């Protein structure tokens, strides 16, 4: 039975014959008359009059003559659309073989076919029955393949089909449209922690909220796990979309009420526009996604409208990510070192390893140009292991050349501490490189330490047992307490440069730095001052017994070869000084 009209069984089936021949009309009237009122027949001689008729009347089924032998006769009526809610069509021809009829059904969308030369009431009624049954089955399959099971909205495929049709309509009427991409921020975490059933409840409530702002469900689709596509049609200018956006923001600022209580979810909305910013479907969808990701930079319920130029920035970001993945394989990363000196003697005691990227076309890139991307994508983890491996090799080289046995210090990010294989991987690196773990110092920030305190503490203890040392970086900028510092086996505190650089001139900062130095010494830790740039700052640190200093006053980050030269020069100077002390008479004679 026709899915669009369940009452069809209780009344005559309305048929429309589209055929230029009055004789054909007489033939079908004769058949319908013999069917005892089961059918009602109307007639149009051509496609144009049939289209006009269809716009004014309800029809259950069309009998379409294929006089012109068109490749796709059904397309003549313009009935096919994204929802397959078109009227079933039985194609007529003077004579049709079985293979020709099957092609009409399977390749061209006919509901059935009839050969006029073999027409009888029995063949006619079988064709009507099969056509309606096939059309209903197609509708069921269409709903299964084009509808989201959880929410009942269109899925991604159907939404894009509707979007393409809307773009065609907008072009014909010289109107604009917008695509909104709405992301439920934090949904995946809720779904994982509370279960799929409650997650599905949130999705269904989300649809109910969205429908409060939309003219019909046909303007909405679930296009991924936690994302919805929204179509806004008939706009004169792009600012009109803000009415819908503001309504959505107001709705999604309210908490979700579940059996377990209330839950607040953030919401990020991105908007793109046809034809203002996009002229193709792919552009429209891609731009909405770019704008949505831009909105996600802001917490809570936020939105962003796509602007020209945003796609080039995104393309550049994707290109940088792809290049960085290759960089890890092609040995394009470099480890530079900044000396760390004894505050009193200014001898180099350690050096901090700082990563650089020797990009094949963009030259040497500083960390600020790629570390945020590496953090966001998780590439910071393999990059971090490369840094550890390289530092171990560099420490081995210093030992093999008989240079001063300084510590090489490298940073560990929060993402690395989240890796359950961290301790095992670092242990394997020490074993394969045969580096002395005592030659490596790991630095971590207060924020990294606090995000996963239990995991971080366990990793620090296990690596300390191997012989490695740990320093707390950027001390004073985070939230570590005296109790935390007591519990962790830390060797050094590194005072953040923001305190050091103003300590000599600002009484408040001077008091803070003095307190930090005293705290570290009371905990039997050494103190490293970062960002030392002037002799006055160094003098202040000497006065209050800071142990080590690092900054531009002693050297900028340089390639490992430069560090080796500095250590060789320092070694030569020591040897010369020792010889002078051992032979004072020879030194004075010379």
């Amino acid at each position: 039975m026709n899915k669009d009209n369940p009452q069809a069984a209780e009344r005559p089936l309305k048929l429309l014959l589209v055929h230029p021949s009055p004789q054909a009309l007489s033939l079908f009237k004769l058949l319908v008359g013999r069917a005892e009122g089961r059918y009602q027949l109307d007639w149009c001689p051509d496609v144009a009059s049939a289209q006009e008729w269809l716009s004014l009347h309800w029809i259950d089924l069309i009998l379409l003559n294929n006089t012109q032998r068109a490749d796709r006769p059904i397309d003549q009526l313009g009935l096919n659309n994204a929802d397959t809610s078109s009227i079933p069509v039985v194609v007529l021809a003077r004579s049709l073989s079985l293979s020709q009829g099957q092609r009409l059904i399977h390749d061209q969308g006919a509901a059935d076919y009839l050969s006029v030369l073999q027409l009888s009431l029995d063949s006619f009624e079988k064709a009507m029955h099969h056509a309606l049954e096939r059309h209903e089955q197609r509708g069921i399959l269409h709903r299964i393949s084009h509808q989201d099971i959880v929410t009942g909205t269109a899925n991604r495929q159907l939404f894009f089909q509707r979007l393409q049709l809307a773009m065609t309509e907008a072009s014909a009427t010289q109107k604009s449209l917008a695509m909104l991409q709405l992301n439920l921020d934090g949904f995946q975490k809720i779904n994982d922690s509370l279960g799929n059933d409650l997650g599905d409840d949130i999705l269904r409530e989300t649809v109910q909220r969205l429908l409060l702002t939309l003219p019909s469900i046909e303007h909405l689709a679930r296009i991924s796990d936690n994302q919805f596509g929204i179509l806004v049609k008939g706009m004169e200018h792009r600012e009109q979309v803000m009415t819908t956006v503001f309504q959505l923001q107001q709705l999604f600022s309210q908490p979700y009420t579940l059996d377990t209580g209330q839950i607040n979810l953030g919401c990020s909305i991105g908007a793109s526009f046809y034809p203002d910013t996009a002229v193709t479907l792919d552009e429209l969808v891609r731009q909405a996604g770019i704008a949505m990701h831009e909105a996600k930079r802001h917490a809570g319920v936020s939105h962003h409208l796509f602007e020209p130029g945003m796609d080039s920035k995104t393309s550049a970001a994707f290109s940088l990510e792809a290049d960085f993945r290759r960089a890890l394989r092609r040995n394009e990363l470099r480890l530079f070192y900044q000396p760390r000196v004894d505050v009193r003697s200014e001898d180099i005691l350690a050096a901090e390893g700082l990563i650089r990227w020797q990009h094949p076309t963009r030259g040497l890139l500083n960390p600020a140009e790629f570390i945020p991307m590496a953090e966001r994508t998780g590439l910071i983890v393999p990059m971090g292991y490369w840094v550890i491996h390289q530092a171990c090799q560099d420490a081995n080289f210093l030992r093999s050349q008989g240079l001063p046995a300084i510590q090489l210090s490298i940073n560990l990010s929060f993402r690395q501490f989240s890796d359950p294989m961290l301790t095992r991987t670092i242990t394997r690196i020490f074993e394969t490189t045969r580096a002395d773990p005592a030659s490596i110092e790991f630095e971590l920030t207060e924020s990294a330490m606090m995000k996963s305190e239990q995991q971080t503490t366990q990793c620090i203890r296990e690596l300390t047992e191997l012989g490695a040392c740990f320093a707390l970086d950027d001390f004073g900028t985070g939230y570590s307490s005296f109790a935390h510092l007591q519990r962790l086996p830390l060797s050094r505190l590194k005072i953040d440069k923001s305190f050091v650089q103003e300590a000599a001139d600002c009484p408040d900062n001077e008091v803070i730095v003095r307190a930090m130095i005293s705290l570290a010494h009371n905990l039997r830790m050494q103190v490293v001052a970062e960002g030392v740039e002037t002799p006055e700052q160094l003098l202040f640190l000497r006065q209050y017994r800071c142990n080590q200093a690092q900054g531009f006053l002693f050297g900028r980050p340089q390639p490992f070869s430069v560090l080796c030269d500095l250590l060789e020069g320092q070694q030569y100077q020591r040897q010369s000084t020792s010889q002078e002390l051992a032979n004072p008479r020879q030194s004075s004679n010379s």
Side-chain angles (χ1 to χ4, degrees):
M1 189 51 56
N2 189 343
K3 70 181 178 67
D4 296 317
N5 186 18
Q7 301 299 319
E10 301 174 7
R11 58 165 177 76
L13 200 66
K14 291 188 176 183
L15 310 178
L16 176 64
L17 175 64
V18 184
H19 200 295
S21 170
Q23 289 80 9
L25 175 60
S26 299
L27 177 60
F28 279 95
K29 277 187 174 181
L30 180 62
L31 285 173
V32 168
R34 293 170 55 193
E36 299 178 352
R38 292 192 293 275
Y39 306 100
Q40 178 182 321
L41 183 67
D42 291 296
W43 174 60
C44 289
D46 52 45
V47 169
S49 59
Q51 289 173 330
E52 183 178 354
W53 180 275
L54 291 170
S55 67
L56 299 173
H57 301 86
W58 175 270
I59 293 296
D60 292 308
L61 191 146
I62 296 173
L63 303 168
L64 176 64
N65 183 51
N66 189 23
T67 54
Q68 298 177 355
R69 300 292 188 268
D71 290 336
R72 297 189 63 86
I74 299 172
D75 290 348
Q76 298 174 56
L77 287 170
L79 292 174
N80 288 347
N81 58 40
D83 299 339
T84 66
S85 58
S86 57
I87 304 164
V89 176
V90 175
V91 177
L92 309 175
R94 180 176 176 80
S95 178
L96 281 171
S97 66
L98 179 62
S99 60
Q100 289 173 325
Q102 291 301 312
R103 280 198 300 272
L104 284 169
I105 293 173
H106 298 299
D107 300 338
Q108 300 182 26
D112 212 325
Y113 62 94
L114 273 173
S115 176
V116 177
L117 290 180
Q118 301 172 350
L119 190 61
S120 65
L121 180 59
D122 183 58
S123 63
F124 173 77
E125 293 209 294
K126 282 183 179 178
M128 299 303 100
H129 173 76
H130 291 157
L132 293 173
E133 188 177 67
R134 187 173 287 116
H135 189 68
E136 183 177 13
Q137 290 171 351
R138 286 174 176 173
I140 293 171
L141 291 174
H142 182 275
R143 287 194 294 276
I144 292 172
S145 61
H146 289 76
Q147 192 176 69
D148 178 59
I149 298 174
V150 175
T151 63
T153 65
N155 64 9
R156 184 184 186 90
Q157 179 182 355
L158 178 54
F159 180 70
F160 289 168
Q161 291 175 359
R162 288 175 173 171
L163 203 56
Q164 185 67 72
L165 286 173
M167 292 169 69
T168 303
E169 293 172 4
S171 178
T173 58
Q174 296 186 335
K175 298 280 188 179
S176 298
L177 64 81
M179 176 187 167
L180 305 183
Q181 185 165 327
L182 183 145
N183 185 85
L184 284 181
D185 304 334
F187 170 77
Q188 195 58 53
K189 188 179 294 184
I190 297 295
N191 201 43
D192 292 342
S193 60
L194 298 181
N196 291 332
D197 289 343
L198 284 177
D200 290 349
D201 289 342
I202 289 176
L203 292 174
R204 283 187 282 267
E205 184 176 334
T206 297
V207 169
Q208 294 306 311
R209 294 186 184 191
L210 290 170
L211 289 177
L212 292 174
T213 68
L214 301 177
S216 80
I217 197 171
E218 292 186 359
H219 293 236
L220 174 65
R222 183 185 176 199
I223 57 177
S224 72
D225 288 346
N226 61 331
Q227 292 181 5
F228 292 85
I230 300 165
L231 170 61
V232 181
K233 298 197 296 184
M235 300 190 308
E236 297 289 345
H237 47 80
R238 58 183 288 171
E239 286 73 19
Q240 288 178 277
V241 79
M242 292 310 301
T243 301
T244 302
V245 170
F246 288 144
Q247 289 175 340
L248 291 174
Q249 288 184 304
Q250 188 174 18
L251 287 169
F252 283 92
S253 63
Q254 304 300 316
Y256 285 80
T257 302
L258 305 175
D259 293 339
T260 56
Q262 290 189 331
I263 293 176
N264 288 291
L265 288 178
C267 170
S268 303
I269 305 168
S272 59
F273 304 89
Y274 171 84
D276 294 0
T277 64
V279 294
T280 67
L281 177 64
D282 287 345
E283 289 177 345
L284 191 68
V285 174
R286 180 172 53 83
Q287 290 175 3
I290 291 172
M292 184 272 292
H293 283 290
E294 187 66 28
K296 285 185 71 174
R297 294 176 181 269
H298 308 284
V301 179
S302 58
H303 75 274
H304 197 90
L305 308 185
F306 182 86
E307 298 288 349
M310 287 178 63
D311 51 351
S312 61
K313 292 180 183 178
T314 302
S315 297
F318 285 141
S319 176
L320 187 70
E321 180 183 336
D323 288 349
F324 191 73
R325 292 182 185 276
R326 288 191 290 268
L328 292 168
R329 300 192 301 268
R330 296 178 179 177
N331 198 31
E332 294 174 2
L333 301 181
R334 304 287 183 267
L335 202 55
F336 281 30
Y337 289 94
Q338 185 175 33
R340 207 169 75 198
V341 304
D342 180 273
V343 165
R344 298 199 174 277
S345 67
E346 297 186 36
D347 286 344
I348 300 174
L349 301 180
E352 181 178 359
L354 300 164
I355 196 166
R356 301 291 187 268
W357 178 8
Q358 188 65 53
H359 193 280
T361 59
R362 297 173 59 181
L364 191 67
L365 301 184
N366 288 318
E369 298 179 80
F370 60 90
I371 290 296
M373 174 273 299
E375 287 274 12
R376 186 179 66 253
T377 59
L379 292 172
I380 193 77
V381 175
M383 185 201 79
Y385 290 138
W386 178 89
V387 170
I388 297 170
H389 189 273
Q390 185 62 48
C392 287
Q393 289 185 322
D394 291 342
N396 286 343
F397 181 83
L398 295 178
R399 185 178 58 191
S400 68
Q401 298 300 306
L403 293 172
I406 67 171
Q407 272 191 328
L408 300 182
S409 181
I410 52 182
N411 293 278
L412 290 177
S413 72
F414 162 68
R415 291 292 294 268
Q416 287 175 277
F417 277 107
S418 301
D419 181 10
M421 299 295 291
L422 176 67
T423 303
R424 189 178 303 177
T425 303
I426 293 177
T427 301
R428 189 166 63 249
I429 291 174
F430 283 144
E431 292 172 349
T432 55
T433 60
R434 297 184 179 179
D436 181 5
S439 66
I440 301 298
E441 180 183 70
F442 296 108
E443 296 184 13
L444 71 157
T445 63
E446 292 178 270
S447 58
M449 182 177 68
M450 298 299 292
K451 282 182 178 177
S452 181
E453 184 182 354
Q454 185 175 358
Q455 169 80 1
T456 303
T457 301
Q458 181 180 347
C459 290
I460 291 175
R461 293 192 185 283
E462 290 174 350
L463 292 173
T464 300
E465 289 176 4
L466 293 177
C469 300
F470 278 84
L472 185 62
D473 197 14
D474 300 335
F475 182 62
T477 62
Y479 308 97
S480 54
S481 66
F482 187 80
H484 286 128
L485 297 178
Q486 280 185 310
R487 284 198 297 267
L488 293 174
L490 300 172
S491 301
R492 292 178 183 85
L493 293 184
K494 297 187 73 175
I495 301 176
D496 185 71
K497 64 181 181 181
S498 61
F499 296 102
V500 174
Q501 291 175 350
E502 296 183 13
D505 303 319
C506 176
D508 290 341
N509 271 16
E510 177 184 345
V511 172
I512 293 172
V513 172
R514 287 169 56 189
M516 289 179 176
I517 294 173
S518 177
L519 170 64
H521 288 164
N522 288 335
L523 292 172
R524 297 183 179 83
M525 298 181 195
Q526 289 194 333
V527 184
V528 180
E530 296 182 292
V532 181
E533 297 181 355
T534 68
E536 292 77 16
Q537 293 167 355
L538 177 60
L539 184 62
F540 166 80
L541 294 170
R542 280 176 179 163
Q543 182 180 355
Y544 292 105
R545 298 188 303 116
C546 182
N547 303 101
Q548 298 178 19
Q550 178 181 339
F552 291 167
L553 183 63
F554 314 107
R556 293 177 178 271
Q558 297 287 349
F560 179 62
S561 59
V562 176
L563 176 65
C564 292
D565 292 341
L566 291 173
L567 291 173
E568 190 173 2
Q570 177 175 296
Q571 188 177 52
Y572 176 79
Q573 184 65 36
R574 281 184 179 176
Q575 291 171 350
S576 298
T577 302
S578 298
Q579 289 176 358
E580 289 177 4
L581 293 174
N583 303 291
R585 218 176 264 181
Q586 180 179 348
S587 176
S588 60
N589 291 338
S590 62

